[in-house]
Amino acid sequence: MPFVLSVSPDFTPKHIAGWYVFNTWLQRQTELAFHVELYNSFIKQREAIAADEIDLIYANPYDAAMLVREKGFVALAAPLNKADEAVIVCNNNYPIDAIENLQTDLSIVTTDDPDVHLMGMMMLEPADLNADNTNIQEKDSYVLVAKQLLQQKADIGFFLKEAYYDLSALIRDELRVLIASEIFVIRHILLAGPKLQQHHQQLESLLVNMQDNPKGADVLKTMGLRGWETQTQEDTEFMIDLMDTL
Amino acid sequence: METIDFQLITYLERNIDMKLHYYDGTDRVINIIDQEEPFPDGRLIVSRTDTMGILTHCNQSFIDMSGYTEEELIGKNHYILRHPDMPAAAFKGLWSTVKEGGKWDGYVKNLRKDGSYYWVHAVVIPNVRNGNIVGYTSVRRKPSRKKINQCISLYAEMLAEEG
Ligand SMILES: Cc1cc2nc3c(=O)[nH]c(=O)nc-3n(C[C@H](O)[C@H](O)[C@H](O)COP(=O)(O)O)c2cc1C
C-alpha cells in the first residue's frame, strides 16, 4: 500500500501539476511508494483524514489543530516566505472606503478556504459585523468570488491575498482592496501522519535541502514554492494556539 | 493572581505625572496622556508569557504599539502595559479563566511607554503541552468603537466601586 499524499483543497490550480511532480521526486528520493489524492472540498478531505486515509498533507492552518491534536500528525516543514494573508475586496464603485463604515446586512462572498474566511471575518469586527448580521454566500473558487463583485451581486469578498493578485490586471482594475491582513505567522504546513513516523527525519532533511539541489529546485518552481524550512513542534503548537484565538 | 499586585498611589487627574507602584517594589513615574494610538489595520498584536505572566515573546506589532524595545519587554511582567483606567476585576477574570484552562476575551485599554494608550480586543488562552499549562498566549485585534465606548463607561463604574 503506497502512502497517500494530499494537498489542501485551496491549492492554486496552476500548481496542481507541481504536486504530482513533487510526488515523483519524493518517491525517487525516499524509495517509498506515494500516491497523490486530491479532494475538491475541505469537507471531503476531512472525511478522508478522519478515516486515516492520508499520510502526508500540505495542510491549511485551520486543519492543523485537528491533524496534530487529534490525529497525531507532526509538522515536517513549512514553505519559505509564504504566509497566508487575506484581503477584503469590493467593486470600485462601492461607496465605502473604510471597514468601520460597513453596515449590517452587508453581503459577503467567500470560499470554503477556512483560514482566509476566519481572517476575513476577524477584519470585519471593527464594524461590529459577524455571521449573525451579514449575509454570507460561498463560492467554489476565487474567480467566482471576483465575478460576484464585478457583477455587483455582493458588497465585499474575501480572498487569499495571493489568489487576488493572481487575477488578471483587467479584473483587478474593476476592484478595490479595502483591507489586507498582515499577520505573517499563519501558513500552510506539510504534516506527516503516524504511519510515516519512522521516516520523519529522512523526509525533513530532504525537504529543507530541496532548494539546494538543482532537480529539487526545479520541482519547487513547478509547485510555486521557494523552498522549505524547518517547522518545530513548538512552531506548530504556537500557530494552532494563535488560530484558536481567532 | 496573587503574585501581581498593581497599586496606584497617585492618580489625581488626567495628563499629570503619576507614580505607578509595582508588586515587586519597583515604581515608575509616568505622564499619562489622554491620547489614543489607533490600532494598526489588518494586524494582530501577539504576546506570550510564562505561567506567571512574564513576557517571553512578542511580535513586531506588540513592540510598535507598546513603544518599548523588545529588550525592554522580554522578561518583564505583562502589567508593564497596565493602564490606570483598567479595573483590577477585569484582570482577575482573565487570570481565573486561563488558569483553569479556559479562553478569555475582553476589551483592554493599554498604556504605551510615552503615556498614551490604545484599545484592543484581547483573547488569552493557555498553552497546553502534554496536558500541562506551560504559558499563555494573547492575541489582540482591532475593537469596534461601539465596544470601546461601552467599556469606557463600564470600566469607570468598576473603578469607582473598587475605590
Ligand atoms: C498572555 C497574557 C496577556 C496579558 N496582556 C495584558 C495586556 O495587554 N495589558 C494588561 O494590562 N494586562 C495584561 N495581562 C494581565 C497582566 O498579567 C496583569 O494581570 C494586569 O496587567 C493587571 O495587573 P494586576 O494583576 O497586578 O492587577 C496579560 C496576562 C496574560 C497572561
Side-chain angles (χ1 to χ4, degrees):
Chain A
M1 278 279 281
F3 294 108
V4 173
L5 161 65
S6 192
V7 181
S8 168
D10 55 11
F11 55 75
T12 34
K14 67 178 179 192
H15 296 127
I16 300 178
W19 285 97
Y20 285 94
V21 177
F22 175 70
N23 188 60
T24 307
W25 176 86
L26 200 61
Q27 300 197 78
R28 292 227 177 92
Q29 300 288 319
T30 59
E31 294 181 358
L32 298 170
F34 280 94
H35 161 79
V36 180
E37 195 68 55
L38 300 178
Y39 301 86
N40 56 18
S41 78
F42 280 91
I43 293 173
K44 286 261 157 52
Q45 189 176 59
R46 283 180 201 133
E47 283 167 6
I49 295 165
D52 299 322
E53 289 168 4
I54 294 175
D55 304 300
L56 188 61
I57 180 170
Y58 186 63
N60 187 284
Y62 186 90
D63 286 337
M66 177 261 291
L67 286 157
V68 170
R69 293 190 178 159
E70 290 164 32
K71 286 295 179 179
F73 277 68
V74 171
L76 297 179
L80 273 173
N81 301 320
K82 201 173 159 65
D84 287 7
E85 302 287 1
V87 290
I88 298 183
V89 175
C90 64
N91 189 294
N92 245 337
N93 298 324
Y94 193 58
I96 284 174
D97 57 8
I99 291 291
E100 279 84 348
N101 299 332
L102 295 171
Q103 300 293 324
T104 51
D105 289 331
L106 178 87
S107 67
I108 301 170
V109 54
T110 185
T111 61
D112 71 345
D113 193 347
D115 66 333
V116 171
H117 186 71
L118 202 62
M119 291 187 270
M121 292 308 289
M122 190 266 295
M123 289 193 287
L124 291 182
E125 230 183 75
D128 278 313
L129 295 173
N130 54 54
D132 297 329
N133 60 13
T134 55
N135 305 303
I136 301 175
Q137 28 170 323
E138 194 180 290
K139 294 288 165 198
D140 286 338
S141 72
Y142 288 116
V143 172
L144 294 176
V145 171
K147 201 169 154 196
Q148 289 298 99
L149 295 175
L150 290 173
Q151 297 177 349
Q152 306 192 33
K153 288 183 179 158
D155 296 316
I156 60 164
F158 296 163
F159 290 84
L160 177 70
K161 187 174 172 186
E162 191 186 347
Y164 179 70
Y165 288 99
D166 271 350
L167 296 172
S168 74
L170 212 62
I171 292 180
R172 275 184 288 118
D173 274 350
E174 304 288 321
L175 303 173
R176 172 159 49 89
V177 174
L178 275 172
I179 190 170
S181 74
E182 291 178 278
I183 297 175
F184 308 114
V185 288
I186 294 179
R187 54 184 181 173
H188 280 57
I189 45 179
L190 190 70
L191 296 153
K195 277 183 254 167
L196 273 171
Q197 193 155 15
Q198 66 186 108
H199 306 291
H200 282 183
Q201 243 169 7
Q202 181 196 9
L203 289 167
E204 211 181 301
S205 71
L206 267 175
L207 292 165
V208 296
N209 294 311
M210 196 170 169
Q211 77 255 39
D212 302 328
N213 156 305
K215 185 81 195 33
D218 283 346
V219 176
L220 283 165
K221 209 177 274 168
T222 64
M223 301 163 79
L225 301 181
R226 286 186 207 166
W228 298 97
E229 63 182 340
T230 309
Q231 168 92 358
T232 65
Q233 185 68 12
E234 188 48 36
D235 291 337
T236 308
E237 294 283 357
F238 175 51
M239 189 178 81
I240 293 173
D241 281 343
L242 192 133
M243 294 294 293
D244 202 26
T245 68
L246 295 184
Chain B
M1 172 84 202
E2 64 286 346
T3 55
I4 303 168
D5 176 27
F6 181 101
Q7 274 184 14
L8 217 57
I9 300 297
T10 45
Y11 183 43
L12 301 174
E13 51 180 287
R14 297 206 156 268
N15 300 326
I16 59 153
D17 282 345
M18 268 179 64
K19 198 169 195 180
L20 303 182
H21 285 250
Y22 295 126
Y23 79 107
D24 57 3
T26 61
D27 52 36
R28 70 180 168 132
V29 173
I30 184 154
N31 184 256
I32 303 285
I33 312 169
D34 193 10
Q35 179 187 312
E36 180 167 2
E37 181 73 16
F39 194 107
D41 271 332
R43 298 215 173 200
L44 296 176
I45 299 177
V46 182
S47 64
R48 306 173 79 183
T49 72
D50 65 10
T51 53
M52 307 300 283
I54 305 294
L55 279 161
T56 54
H57 163 101
C58 47
N59 73 352
Q60 191 58 45
S61 301
F62 187 102
I63 296 167
D64 295 345
M65 285 304 279
S66 72
Y68 292 96
T69 64
E70 188 167 6
E71 295 71 43
E72 287 174 308
L73 290 165
I74 302 299
K76 294 286 166 35
N77 195 298
H78 229 304
Y79 68 42
I80 191 165
L81 301 184
R82 170 81 193 271
H83 196 285
D85 287 349
M86 283 300 294
F91 298 112
K92 283 215 180 73
L94 181 165
W95 278 103
S96 62
T97 305
V98 296
K99 275 184 156 184
E100 282 170 14
K103 186 197 284 194
W104 178 88
D105 89 292
Y107 294 83
V108 180
K109 182 176 186 176
N110 273 328
L111 180 66
R112 290 164 53 86
K113 186 180 184 181
D114 67 3
S116 61
Y117 65 90
Y118 58 102
W119 278 96
V120 299
H121 178 200
V123 181
V124 183
I125 58 161
N127 305 131
V128 181
R129 307 287 183 263
N130 301 314
N132 300 314
I133 296 178
V134 299
Y136 302 99
T137 297
S138 178
V139 177
R140 300 133 183 117
R141 51 228 221 188
K142 188 171 185 171
S144 79
R145 196 40 57 182
K146 197 168 118 199
K147 292 275 166 37
I148 294 174
N149 290 335
Q150 286 166 1
C151 286
I152 289 174
S153 37
L154 176 68
Y155 292 165
E157 282 167 33
M158 288 167 74
L159 265 183
E161 274 169 33
E162 285 171 11

